[in-house]
Amino acid sequence: VDISGTGASSKVTARLPSGESVEVLLYGATVISWKSDGGKVENLWVSDAAKLDGTKAVRGGVPVVFPVFGPPPKDHATSALPQHGFARTSRWEFLGKSSSEDALDASSVKLDFGLYSSNLSDEAKKAWPYDFGIVYSVTLSKEGLQTVVNVRNEGTKVFEFQLLLHTYLRVKDISKTTVTGLAGVPYVDKVLDATTHTQSSPTLAITGEVDRVYASIPQNTTTVLEDGKPRFDVVRDNLDDTVVWNPWKEKAAAMGDFEPKDGFKEMLCVEVGSVQGWQKLESGDGFEGGQLIKSLL
Ligand code: BG6
């Protein structure tokens, strides 16, 4: 494990003896690279214009969305927060690493990151005055990348939150990319009309801008296919919802930090979370949820 960079640009890099690697920026605890297959295959998309210096949420990788998804509702305790909350724009602490198996043939490495109310900017603290602690564990193994969020209420007041792992998967060609595992699931279509529809087809093709919030998904695995062949399995653990997002041409053009402009052809966000309704945490209680992403090449 290697810690490099200074200040907001600090990042933690871990590599398995077999070559797989992961890179996590302390800013947002954003995973900005995950290489599988002996280190030969980059699985995450990060914009060429992404800010990695702590001046803006990272456009790409795996930003952590907490405690609110999207624009906060007006009549909620999160209403004064920015879109997607503060976790992705806060500097996290690196809590350390642990490896499994014997040191010689480490088959996985786990990196832990922490964010506590005391780490927040005064602005964020004022906008959301609750005492919390989050431990975010990023585990790299040959099997895949696992990211798990553990939220605890360390104060005396009850709070409500939403949580989402905003993963930007790298794909070869969006026109040949499809998604399965969402058949029969209701979703809110944020592009069309913000009302609820039901996914009727077993396969979702991405042929234009897509921004859908699938809720209460019965099956745990969402699969991304390329040319009809499974490319990624995204396995949810204790998180019931998944957002599928691709900005397509016009929205990508409108984002200053989205480069190259036709980069939307090489990415697809499959974002697992708990974003329909709210998770409620009583004083002293905790919640854990996460994902395992498998690269299926
Ligand atoms: C997705 C939302 O999760 O994030 C989209 O569903 C949103 O509506 C996208 O556009 C990107 O958000 P941001 O704040 O990173 O530009």
Side-chain angles (χ1 to χ4, degrees):
V1 171
D2 208 54
I3 304 174
S4 60
T6 52
S9 310
S10 304
K11 61 181 182 182
V12 180
T13 306
R15 196 166 276 109
L16 298 182
S18 43
E20 290 79 9
S21 64
V22 66
E23 251 176 66
V24 187
L25 205 61
L26 290 190
Y27 181 72
T30 316
V31 179
I32 50 170
S33 168
W34 162 40
K35 291 182 183 164
S36 64
D37 298 271
K40 292 193 290 289
V41 180
E42 176 59 69
N43 295 299
L44 300 176
W45 185 87
V46 177
S47 164
D48 290 348
K51 293 272 185 273
L52 302 177
D53 61 357
T55 54
K56 193 182 191 304
V58 178
R59 178 66 62 202
V62 188
V64 178
V65 169
F66 174 92
V68 64
F69 164 70
K74 283 201 179 61
D75 54 349
H76 192 264
T78 55
S79 67
L81 291 174
Q83 153 132 326
H84 292 339
F86 51 70
R88 64 176 182 163
T89 52
S90 296
R91 188 189 155 96
W92 293 56
E93 295 175 26
F94 177 47
L95 303 177
K97 69 138 193 174
S98 45
S99 312
S100 78
E101 313 283 297
D102 49 304
L104 281 177
D105 185 27
S107 63
S108 77
V109 57
K110 176 155 97 58
L111 305 173
D112 286 331
F113 300 88
L115 182 70
Y116 308 91
S117 356
S118 55
N119 300 120
L120 296 188
S121 65
D122 290 342
E123 204 186 344
K125 239 182 262 175
K126 216 176 124 204
W128 201 69
Y130 298 95
D131 286 322
F132 70 93
I134 304 180
V135 174
Y136 182 46
S137 302
V138 175
T139 306
L140 171 70
S141 68
K142 275 189 160 178
E143 194 194 3
L145 182 75
Q146 188 179 31
T147 68
V148 177
V149 181
N150 188 304
V151 186
R152 265 169 309 120
N153 183 342
E154 293 177 348
T156 49
K157 286 180 287 182
V158 178
F159 65 71
E160 288 186 325
F161 67 94
Q162 295 175 325
L163 167 70
L164 176 107
L165 298 166
H166 198 305
T167 309
Y168 290 71
L169 295 171
R170 174 171 282 282
V171 298
K172 279 211 183 76
D173 178 353
I174 195 71
S175 73
K176 292 177 181 152
T177 303
T178 52
V179 182
T180 62
L182 300 170
V185 178
Y187 64 89
V188 171
D189 195 323
K190 295 212 264 176
V191 175
L192 211 57
D193 51 9
T195 68
T196 303
H197 303 250
T198 298
Q199 173 78 35
S200 52
S201 155
T203 302
L204 168 68
I206 316 296
T207 54
E209 185 189 355
V210 55
D211 192 355
R212 296 181 174 189
V213 185
Y214 289 87
S216 307
I217 311 169
Q219 56 276 42
N220 287 331
T221 302
T222 305
T223 303
V224 174
L225 303 94
E226 285 182 355
D227 260 331
K229 289 194 286 291
R231 173 66 184 89
F232 296 105
D233 268 349
V234 180
V235 186
R236 280 174 291 105
D237 184 13
N238 202 31
L239 295 174
D240 289 343
D241 311 326
T242 294
V243 178
V244 178
W245 180 63
N246 183 297
W248 217 251
K249 199 173 177 205
E250 283 76 28
K251 289 269 167 72
M255 278 183 266
D257 61 352
F258 197 103
E259 290 286 351
K261 282 301 164 202
D262 62 358
F264 70 89
K265 293 176 183 165
E266 294 184 341
M267 52 74 63
L268 180 65
C269 284
V270 175
E271 315 162 18
V272 307
S274 177
V275 295
Q276 206 212 24
W278 300 87
Q279 292 286 346
K280 193 173 180 173
L281 273 190
E282 306 281 341
S283 169
D285 279 359
F287 171 90
E288 187 169 272
Q291 65 177 347
L292 169 65
I293 315 174
K294 299 183 199 170
S295 168
L296 303 172
L297 284 177

